[in-house]
Amino acid sequence: MPPPESPMHKLDQLLFENTFARLPDSFHSRLKPTPLPAPYLVSFNADAARLIDLDSEEMSRADFAEHFTGNRLLPGAEPLSMLYAGHQFGQFVPQLGDGRAILLGEIRNRAGELWDVQLKGAGITPYSRQGDGRAVLRSSIREYLCSEAMHGLGIPTSRALCIVGSDEEVYRERIETAAVITRLAPSHVRFGSFEVFFYRGQHEQIATLADYVIARHFPDLSNDADKYQLFLNEVTQRTAKLMAQWQAVGFSHGVMNTDNMSILGLTFDYGPFGFMESYDPGYICNHSDPRGRYAYDQQPQVGLWNLACLAQALSPLIPTEQAHAVLDGYAPAYHQHYAELMGAKLGLGNTTLDDIQLIASLLEMMRSSHIDYTNLFRGLGNFDSAADASNSLLRDQFIDRAAFDSWAESYRARLQHQPGTDSERKARMDAVNPKYILRNYLAQSAIEMAEQQRDFSEIDRLLALLGKPFDEQPGMERYAAIPPDWARQIEVSCSS
Ligand code: AMP
Ligand code: MG
């Protein structure tokens, strides 16, 4: 008989094991979170709680919010802020660091995984520069929902445990209120965590950090003579795959600075992100990026540019030629993943060069007809491959009907080489083409209800909805609707 499952942990039983805190002092600053007055729980994510074996009943404790603002410290926590640097919009900034995030520590779960528990918005740190160390409720809700939406989509990401709010005022373009979001991730080490030591000429620290990351996340590489090169290769391959996943789902990060790039290939540091709605390869989600450095179609090449920054920071450990060889593997990996993911969106296996052309011409038609990216692919699952089918529901969305007809003819011909029936293909396509994404207007509705009425129910509704983005979820269809007119005015910037 299997052993009875041991009970989940109460707050004071969480098993902290703080490996990052054991690194030399030059890697971080120890500090206490700044208390946030009268905190209240905004939302709790039971799914994420399981990652740290936390008993969900604990959310009802009167002092729960106190712990997830840092007003009270959990036993075993060793709070610190991490040091890093970064290339921001192409410019190197020699010192950044967590300006408002405080790592409480790492929790070992019963599966043996270590999870960073980080409070974002927990007050000033030595790296705050001009900032106030706070995060506003608005951006905390956006990050909370988006990280869980990405997880639901099967895209590597930091997770979100809860949001705690307060009536403390925070000054952005307008007066807003403060919140703390608790993020969970296997690591918050960034490309910039290495860059800071390279530009300071502290090469020993680069090796210390690389050895730490390898031991914790890539233990199989530990004893290899080429371990640093293999580590760079892992980051390169993961980043290539992540970029393909972002492109395939129509996600724009918005601020792909090297300090926002995870060495584990996770999506993190959510700010002015956006899911593309009407298809436009030049889509810029960040109002603070008018030149479109981080536009949707730039992301794959920015991923490589950022990896080149990482490779440079690792140059004391990896000979140049080897680093170049690793980076040369980025483009083929990216293209292969992209082809597979996009092929799957069309219900195709073994994507060929001709298929890439088929995908490209569909995208071009979508662009010229301003068609909703998510909904078109979801609808394509219903494509009828019979010779005389009109597919009018799809066809009517395109301005150039003749172009659609000719595309549909090529698609139909291609499907004849694909085993299985139309309904089998639809099932396959529905499993990769989401029905629900975090549209800006959905997030905005949840934010307005929270800000204006202190009603947090829409956050919980979206959390549940976006956790299963591929399911039809009868009754929820309106959440798949294209944006209403009022949503055109939503502007998302770096201000958070
Ligand atoms: P981001 O663009 O959000 O990744 O932030 C870039 C840097 O600015 C990071 O080091 C952040 O920690 C820091 N930062 C952003 N907002 C604030 C704030 N309100 N207070 C202090 N530091 C901040
Ligand atoms: Mg950041």
Side-chain angles (χ1 to χ4, degrees):
M1 237 173 52
E5 188 143 342
S6 50
M8 288 296 203
H9 292 152
K10 304 288 171 199
L11 279 183
D12 47 16
Q13 298 171 321
L14 294 170
L15 295 177
F16 276 95
E17 189 179 316
N18 302 327
T19 66
F20 199 83
R22 300 281 86 75
L23 286 171
D25 287 346
S26 52
F27 288 82
H28 43 63
S29 297
R30 292 172 196 278
L31 78 172
K32 288 227 164 72
T34 309
L36 197 58
Y40 45 84
L41 185 61
V42 171
S43 185
F44 177 81
N45 180 8
D47 198 24
R50 276 189 282 278
L51 298 173
I52 53 169
D53 298 336
L54 173 62
D55 181 350
S56 288
E57 306 268 301
E58 290 287 90
M59 69 173 267
S60 317
R61 277 169 66 147
D63 60 353
F64 183 87
E66 301 283 344
H67 286 101
F68 291 95
T69 43
N71 291 1
R72 285 199 201 178
L73 269 193
L74 291 165
E78 293 181 62
L80 59 84
S81 285
M82 296 164 81
L83 169 75
Y84 48 87
H87 280 85
Q88 298 195 312
F89 290 89
Q91 296 287 347
F92 185 66
V93 183
Q95 192 193 293
L96 291 161
D98 292 327
R100 53 174 167 172
I102 295 180
L103 179 67
L104 284 182
E106 300 143 46
I107 291 177
R108 169 115 25 218
N109 69 13
R110 51 186 61 154
E113 302 158 343
L114 269 180
W115 285 88
D116 279 12
V117 181
Q118 196 199 57
L119 306 179
K120 182 172 176 182
I124 301 246
T125 81
Y127 315 116
S128 295
R129 298 179 295 166
Q130 289 0 298
D132 56 10
R134 292 300 181 197
V136 297
L137 179 61
R138 163 180 56 87
S139 65
S140 305
I141 293 172
R142 282 173 50 84
E143 166 153 5
Y144 182 78
L145 292 176
C146 194
S147 56
E148 291 304 308
M150 293 296 264
H151 176 68
L153 290 164
I155 300 177
T157 176
S158 59
R159 304 291 304 276
L161 177 68
C162 59
I163 305 177
V164 172
S166 161
D167 291 341
E168 182 164 283
E169 292 185 342
V170 176
Y171 300 89
R172 297 292 183 262
E173 276 86 17
R174 59 186 170 97
I175 297 178
E176 302 187 48
T177 57
V180 175
I181 174 172
T182 300
R183 310 200 283 196
L184 306 178
S187 172
H188 284 86
V189 174
R190 301 138 196 281
F191 292 11
S193 309
F194 288 94
E195 288 178 283
V196 68
F197 296 119
F198 177 72
Y199 287 89
R200 287 180 179 183
Q202 295 174 331
H203 295 178
E204 230 174 84
Q205 331 280 61
I206 300 175
T208 302
L209 185 59
D211 287 338
Y212 167 79
V213 168
I214 290 169
R216 184 167 154 186
H217 303 288
F218 307 101
D220 294 352
L221 308 182
S222 292
N223 296 318
D224 203 296
D226 293 325
K227 61 181 175 178
Y228 299 122
Q229 181 190 345
L230 293 170
F231 161 56
L232 180 62
N233 188 55
E234 275 288 338
V235 188
T236 302
Q237 293 294 317
R238 288 181 186 216
T239 305
K241 181 166 185 193
L242 182 69
M243 292 307 113
Q245 289 178 302
W246 285 2
Q247 298 309 103
V249 81
F251 176 80
S252 269
H253 181 281
V255 197
M256 284 181 68
N257 295 334
T258 54
D259 49 295
N260 292 336
M261 297 291 292
S262 150
I263 48 102
L264 297 183
L266 308 173
T267 315
F268 72 10
D269 277 26
Y270 291 88
F273 64 82
F275 281 90
M276 189 152 57
E277 297 188 302
S278 129
Y279 180 71
D280 169 15
Y283 169 59
I284 302 168
C285 60
N286 179 2
H287 195 65
S288 320
D289 180 21
R291 306 227 308 255
R293 178 180 172 89
Y294 299 137
Y296 167 78
D297 61 356
Q298 300 301 302
Q299 297 187 126
Q301 68 195 57
V302 172
L304 179 59
W305 194 91
N306 289 342
L307 283 161
C309 293
L310 175 64
Q312 186 181 38
L314 292 173
S315 61
L317 306 179
I318 308 173
T320 311
E321 265 177 36
Q322 291 180 18
H324 280 167
V326 168
L327 295 183
D328 283 347
Y330 177 87
Y334 168 76
H335 288 298
Q336 193 197 329
H337 288 300
Y338 181 77
E340 272 169 22
L341 291 168
M342 295 306 290
K345 288 176 82 65
L346 292 184
L348 308 176
N350 298 324
T351 320
T352 64
L353 274 181
D354 284 346
D355 295 340
I356 298 293
Q357 193 46 51
L358 191 68
I359 292 161
S361 48
L362 175 63
L363 291 176
E364 174 49 30
M365 291 192 305
M366 286 166 64
R367 187 195 62 74
S368 56
S369 294
H370 306 286
I371 294 180
D372 187 85
Y373 182 78
T374 302
N375 290 356
L376 191 282
F377 276 105
R378 184 75 179 186
L380 202 58
N382 298 317
F383 184 84
D384 183 343
S385 67
D388 56 352
S390 72
N391 284 301
S392 58
L393 278 180
L394 287 164
R395 184 178 191 267
D396 291 351
Q397 298 181 53
F398 293 89
I399 295 169
D400 185 347
R401 307 275 155 91
F404 175 79
D405 290 339
S406 127
W407 184 85
E409 195 44 46
S410 311
Y411 185 39
R412 197 179 69 77
R414 172 61 177 88
L415 290 177
Q416 285 173 347
H417 302 287
Q418 188 67 40
T421 62
D422 272 6
S423 68
E424 285 163 352
R425 176 176 49 80
K426 175 175 164 56
R428 256 192 341 267
M429 289 171 73
D430 282 358
V432 295
N433 292 322
K435 175 154 180 140
Y436 302 104
I437 51 163
L438 182 61
R439 295 173 185 276
N440 261 341
Y441 80 88
L442 296 178
Q444 191 61 27
S445 300
I447 289 166
E448 284 173 17
M449 281 173 65
E451 284 182 341
Q452 291 162 18
Q453 299 153 44
R454 243 197 224 222
D455 178 346
F456 308 130
S457 60
E458 189 67 5
I459 302 173
D460 293 338
R461 223 165 359 256
L462 287 173
L463 187 70
L465 178 87
L466 298 168
K468 295 186 163 52
F470 303 109
D471 292 2
E472 281 294 323
Q473 306 194 44
M476 302 301 278
E477 290 80 5
R478 68 194 166 90
Y479 287 89
I482 59 170
D485 282 345
W486 64 261
R488 286 208 196 117
Q489 288 137 36
I490 302 174
E491 275 177 6
V492 185
S493 72
C494 279
S495 160
S496 61

